[in-house]
Amino acid sequence: MFRISPAFFVFIAALLGCSPDTLTGRVFHNTTAHYNGYFYAREEIKNIEKTLWQNHQDDYSGILWLFPSMDSVRAKAYDKQIQEAVKMASIAIQRHPGSKWTDDSYLLVGKARLYSFDWGNAIQTFKYINNPKVTRDANMRHTALIWLLRTYAVHREFSNAEAVIDYLQKENLNRANKKRFLLEKAYYFQLRGNFDGMIRALSEVEPLFSRKDKPGRYYFIMGQVYQHLGFESEAYNFYRKTIGVHPAYEIEFYARLYMTQVAEISRSRDIAMARKSFRKLLTDAKNRDFKDKIYYEMGLFEEKQGHLSEAIQYYNLALRQGNNRLIDADAYQRLGHLYYDSLRSFVLAQAYYDSAARAMPPSRPGYAEIKKRQEILGEFVKHYKIIQLNDSLLTLSRLDTASLRRLVEEKLSHEPPVPLDKKQKVKRKSTDQPVSVDFPAETVASVSGWYFSNPSTLAAGRTEFLRVWGRIALEDNWRKTSARSPVQPEQPVVTAQPVSDNKLNAGELSAEDRVNETLRNLMAQIPYTDTLKQLALKRIEESLFALGDIYYFRMNEMANAVTTYQTLLHRFPASAFEAEVLYKLYLILKDTDTASASGYARRLVSTYPESTFARLLQNPDYLAETERIQEKQKILYRRAYQLYQLNELKDASMLIQEALQMEETPFVPWLRMLDILITGKSGDKETYQSRLQYFIENGESGELAELAQSMLQAAKATRKSPEKSSYSRQVEEPHYFVAVVQADEALEANVIRMLNDFNKNNFAALQLKVSRTEFNEKTTFILVSDLPRISTAIEYYRTFGEKLTGPLPQSNGKFSTFVISKGNFNILYRTQQLHEYLEFFAQVYQIESP
């Protein structure tokens, strides 16, 4: 009789137990999925979330974030954990289908995709879980939608996030999901900067907190939001509530600190109590690492009370007491704000804003505004210092040597002597006290620091003085004396002994030596001649105009702009900027001071009737109309230039005259120059030269004037050397096509590219080559080589003229083209007389052109 082994029944029972349709199978799959794949995936996700919090740095100067920030760069550090989490969760899904941990495992996969910045797959995963066919657990579907809300919010898909919020608000959520949803909703509003919506969501979730949730951070954030919104009593209550749940010490410290900020202060006794609270925080040993923040808050408190000197003192203590760059940035910013808005010390304000921009990370809110203020003040202070310096120099130029010596002696008497070490350079401490000199009343601002006590300026001035004058006697009329009898460096002087480099190195700088050295450097900077004085005044004029524009356009300080512009007009009645300044004063004052605005408008129209600003005043659409006319002139110019290239000079001249009959625009000088070129090409050399001379003498400037000058010189040289040209007509010799352009790499590259395209489209069979050669320092030849004979060269030249739709790229119309045989090219390159060959070319090639 056949007997079945007991092991067989055990094997069959095991097979039946693994089936998910049996009780034992379900237990097996649920247990294995939970404590194998799901458990390990969940641990990896927990570690990733712990890493996110560890990498997150709270900035207590602003409202803390509800959840840690995510960084795509730092995400690479936990990429292996992400992959492991997805792998283990996938095992639970694939090997144990139908287990009750399948939907939980999908949720972990979605989180992993979110933390790895795989937005698309994260969104698809959370949406997949929300399908009732995937899970019948409504709470799990709600959890997936809450994480979908987080994904949309972090990815800045706010419209989709709003749709999820609207849906979940209608759902019946359990306590855990409701708490999580309200926190995610508050985070969504925080990301959007909607602090009113944020505090509403946090107020809803507050009753759901338990001690297990460690709500201290949430209470603190609620206090911050209430303080930001101006509800200081509510903020005070939540800061106190924060302390009551014993959060992490750092949060507790800031809660106590901010309670002082929002405490109601209505009496001097309250102020004294607040200061006592600050001192108590300073003396607490546990706050040793937070002293910089305490001093910063003390500065804010004193600034709020209007005690600016105490505020500045505490801000500086905050900078010295810690190494937190965020607090340093805030302290620098507050100091810059005080010195600019309250004390109007622009140089110091610029320095502090510069430090704030360097200390503050660019990703921090408010960085762009601070960076903008830093750049504006940098430009402002540059011109402000120019005015200070040149006004000081002009004032000092009216003093004789004896008065200057007394001034230097008085100045240096307030500075302690500087001991020198052999290994150190001479250093003098700068001072912020104004120089004791009566400056002119029209000076824009009083000097807040004496320029000539700046060691770097002194060193530069001393070097330049010695280079120009050598070591000369310090006496009245020293320039004339030195001209009659130069003093050698070693020769002693009558009035004062110059300080030798040996004495400087030996550290023997006496009081007399300091006076002599400072006076020498001072006199080297002073503008004594009329030319130097005019140069100093011109610098002041230009900087006043620049300051007015900065006040007007960049700082939006209209009153200061008006004052600065008026100062410019008063000090410089015939200023080159007068028309523009009058127009700007009219624009600023037309709505607030109509009488003054009308006066400036009348003065502008009567004094500068033909200026652009006067025309703008009379016709606000002037610029738009001028732009339209200018575009028409450019079209005519391009057509005339094409005709000029084809030697159809009469038609080209008619087009130029048509363009010139239109209104005067900035493009008119280009039209006049082309008209002169047409005259020169027609052969009337006398008229050509006289028109060039007139063009130069009648106000034209810049590139066109330089071009006209060089053309006039070339024409005169040709007239003085009428010898017969050595060029000859060479029919069968290979030719070059030459484009003459100004030496400029970008322009040359554009022309080469254009000629290559032209060759490809029109003469591809000839396989022409394009190259460049330097003709002289200012001119480059772009050569098209291997044109086989003169007829081919003429055909190429004429085709190029017909196909060209305008001036060469970036050339402003300043170029010429011609063809030349290889033999003639060698002569041209040797003689460097381009105008001679162009005359030969016009006579020989154009006459025989088909």
Side-chain angles (χ1 to χ4, degrees), residues 359-394:
M360 183 176 291
S363 59
R364 194 181 190 201
Y367 174 81
E369 183 180 349
I370 289 175
K371 184 66 176 176
K372 180 180 178 181
R373 177 60 65 92
Q374 174 215 10
E375 293 171 352
I376 292 173
L377 282 176
E379 185 71 13
F380 183 95
V381 167
K382 180 183 77 172
H383 294 290
Y384 180 77
K385 286 183 175 180
I386 289 173
I387 296 171
Q388 275 189 335
L389 169 62
N390 287 280
D391 268 332
S392 300
L393 292 172
L394 289 170

Side-chain angles (χ1 to χ4, degrees), residues 268-280:
S268 58
R269 181 179 177 184
D270 297 328
I271 296 175
M273 289 296 294
R275 289 172 176 160
K276 183 178 180 180
S277 298
F278 283 126
R279 289 195 296 270
K280 185 177 180 181

Side-chain angles (χ1 to χ4, degrees), residues 445-463:
S446 62
V447 180
S448 61
W450 198 29
Y451 173 81
F452 301 102
S453 63
N454 186 313
S456 61
T457 304
L458 288 177
R462 177 176 184 271
T463 302

